[in-house]
Amino acid sequence: MAVAERRLVFYDTETTGTNIEFDQIIQFAAVLTDENFKELDRINVKSRRLPWIVPSPVAMIVTGTSPSQIDNPDLPQFPEMMTLLDRKLKSWSPARFIGYNSFYFDEPILQRALWQTLFPPYLTVTYGNARADVLPLVRATSRITPHALSVPTIASGRPVFRLDRLAPLNGYAHTNAHDALGDVLAVIHICKRIATRSSALWATFLDC
């Protein structure tokens, strides 16, 4: 199967903090769809904290996660979670891997996690895969076809592109923001809206 058939993998991570070099993925979720956003498969896995990882208090507050939750002995250990991820994501390949602000955070922390657990790290750009980041697409949409999306603003009028504010304003009940699967479903909703209301821009996004 060729990448041109456009199987799409929407994915997101929840982590112990925002430092790519020192923090850890504690939840990974992804939904595989066809080019019409029909769901074909999904994965949603969590990992217990590695013993040398010190979670960021801010990250724990934002995600609503307690120390006891990430130290739960019933959760898979980190290498076990990454083994499941590597097997599943390779089985979905070739595909386009799509995240929200993923180029600057989710993708590099996923690469590091794969490397740490002795898997080839560049999964999203090998095995016939390609990658894309929805955040630049949303910014472009707000300028090129502003009718396609409602964009929240702060008091000064500056636009805000945070997913937890953007998704509800565009008709998605984002009650589980900062849960990896909840964020994945929110991104799919935003992409459907852009594809419907700005089809040429969406097609360009996929082709690039």
Side-chain angles (χ1 to χ4, degrees), residues 7-49:
R7 296 213 307 182
L8 311 177
V9 177
F10 296 91
Y11 76 99
D12 187 61
T13 64
E14 296 300 332
T15 64
T16 56
T18 58
N19 190 315
I20 291 168
E21 295 182 356
F22 294 103
D23 281 300
Q24 172 199 339
I25 297 173
I26 54 174
Q27 183 189 11
F28 183 98
V31 173
L32 173 69
T33 78
D34 64 15
E35 62 181 336
N36 297 312
F37 304 103
K38 178 184 177 182
E39 183 173 332
L40 305 174
D41 199 1
R42 68 168 61 186
I43 186 171
N44 182 19
V45 289
K46 294 183 179 181
S47 164
R48 75 185 78 165
R49 178 181 63 91

Side-chain angles (χ1 to χ4, degrees), residues 13 34 103 108 117 119 131 137 165 171 177 203 206:
T13 64
D34 64 15
F103 281 5
T117 47
F119 293 107
R131 60 180 185 162
L137 171 66
R165 293 193 57 187
L206 288 185

Side-chain angles (χ1 to χ4, degrees), residues 173-190:
H174 203 188
T175 55
N176 52 348
H178 304 296
D179 170 82
L181 183 58
D183 286 348
V184 166
L185 297 176
V187 171
I188 292 174
H189 177 85
I190 293 297

Side-chain angles (χ1 to χ4, degrees), residues 192-207:
K192 282 182 180 178
R193 191 176 177 95
I194 295 172
T196 300
R197 298 186 170 199
S198 185
S199 58
L201 189 58
W202 174 251
T204 301
F205 170 74
L206 288 185
D207 288 341

Side-chain angles (χ1 to χ4, degrees), residues 28 43 45 81-90:
F28 183 98
I43 186 171
V45 289
M81 180 186 75
M82 295 309 302
T83 299
L84 291 171
L85 282 185
D86 182 74
R87 184 182 303 130
K88 176 64 79 173
L89 298 181
K90 283 178 181 173

